């Protein structure tokens, strides 16, 4: 590679890092702001009926997904903080590799996952629990309440699976 090509390639990668970091920060701010609004507006356990299928409800989840380990004695807070920090670190390294290899779909999935993990880890670190407030239901059936960070993680996981399928198909066609 010529010096000029190396320069422009490194500038492009640096700009890409900044753009993906800005997306992660933007999503984190959405999650943080929505939880802050809920804390400032809705009392704990208060239910605000939005429509027949959706409520806003303020819940504090000291466990993981679907309140897993929420009734433990308190050790789970620090366990989930350590797991969150480890996961964020690992996903950031994967994001760096995805940016270097120009894999847009993989980078998008990882940015969503990182933003969601940051949001929930932040809550655990500073509150000791995760603020959940989105509650969907139909008749007597209720889906467990969740938040924006959980949505980012779920969407990121779906994109990650789509990327894996795309990569698998591309790899299968070569052989």
């Amino acid at each position: 590679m010529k010096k000029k090509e190396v320069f422009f390639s490194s500038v492009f990668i640096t700009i890409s890092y900044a753009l993906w970091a800005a997306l992660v920060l933007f999503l984190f701010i959405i999650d943080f702001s929505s939880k802050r609004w809920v804390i400032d507006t809705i009392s704990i356990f208060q239910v605000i009926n939005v429509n027949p299928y959706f409520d806003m409800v303020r819940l504090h989840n000291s466990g993981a997904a679907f309140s897993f380990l929420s009734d433990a004695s308190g050790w789970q807070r620090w366990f989930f903080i350590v797991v969150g920090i480890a996961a964020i670190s690992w996903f950031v390294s994967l994001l760096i590799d995805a940016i270097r290899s120009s894999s847009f779909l993989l980078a998008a999935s990882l940015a969503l996952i990182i933003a969601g993990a940051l949001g929930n880890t932040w809550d655990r670190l500073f509150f000791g629990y995760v603020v959940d407030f989105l509650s969907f239901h139909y008749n007597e059936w209720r889906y467990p309440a969740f938040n924006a960070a959980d949505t980012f993680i779920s969407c990121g996981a779906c994109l990650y699976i789509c990327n894996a399928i795309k990569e698998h198909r591309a790899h299968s066609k070569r052989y």
Side-chain angles (χ1 to χ4, degrees):
M1 254 184 168
K2 296 178 185 174
K3 280 187 177 181
K4 196 175 193 181
E5 290 172 352
V6 170
F7 172 77
F8 284 115
S9 177
S10 64
V11 167
F12 177 75
I13 288 175
T14 303
I15 291 170
S16 294
Y17 289 150
L19 290 174
W20 286 111
L23 175 62
V24 169
L25 180 62
F26 176 72
L27 294 173
F28 173 80
I29 290 170
I30 288 172
D31 178 65
F32 180 86
S33 300
S34 65
K35 290 173 182 172
R36 189 79 245 161
W37 178 84
V38 167
I39 290 169
D40 292 344
T41 308
I42 303 174
S43 302
I44 185 76
F45 303 121
Q46 179 184 358
V47 176
I48 299 172
N49 184 265
V50 177
N51 65 44
Y53 309 105
F54 174 67
D55 297 331
M56 298 281 290
V57 57
R58 179 176 161 190
L59 300 174
H60 297 170
N61 181 2
S62 58
F66 304 106
S67 297
F68 176 68
L69 293 177
S70 62
D71 56 356
S73 62
W75 62 268
Q76 75 277 20
R77 173 186 182 188
W78 301 107
F79 173 75
F80 290 133
I81 288 170
V82 169
V83 168
I85 291 169
I88 292 163
S89 301
W90 184 58
F91 285 121
V92 165
S93 71
L94 292 177
L95 177 59
I96 290 168
D97 290 343
I99 293 167
R100 286 183 182 154
S101 65
S102 300
S103 180
F104 179 83
L105 188 59
L106 180 58
S109 72
L110 294 167
L112 284 162
I113 292 168
I114 292 165
L118 274 172
N120 284 341
T121 301
W122 177 276
D123 281 8
R124 289 183 201 293
L125 196 55
F126 291 97
F127 300 131
Y129 52 81
V130 173
V131 177
D132 289 329
F133 57 91
L134 303 170
S135 176
F136 288 89
H137 54 86
Y138 180 75
N139 292 334
E140 298 302 313
W141 175 85
R142 289 193 165 279
Y143 191 80
F146 59 99
N147 57 46
D150 298 333
T151 304
F152 300 151
I153 292 168
S154 296
C155 291
C158 288
L159 287 179
Y160 192 89
I161 292 167
C162 289
N163 183 71
I165 292 168
K166 182 184 124 197
E167 293 291 320
H168 176 73
R169 287 182 178 164
H171 182 74
S172 296
K173 287 181 181 179
R174 284 185 242 153
Y175 298 103

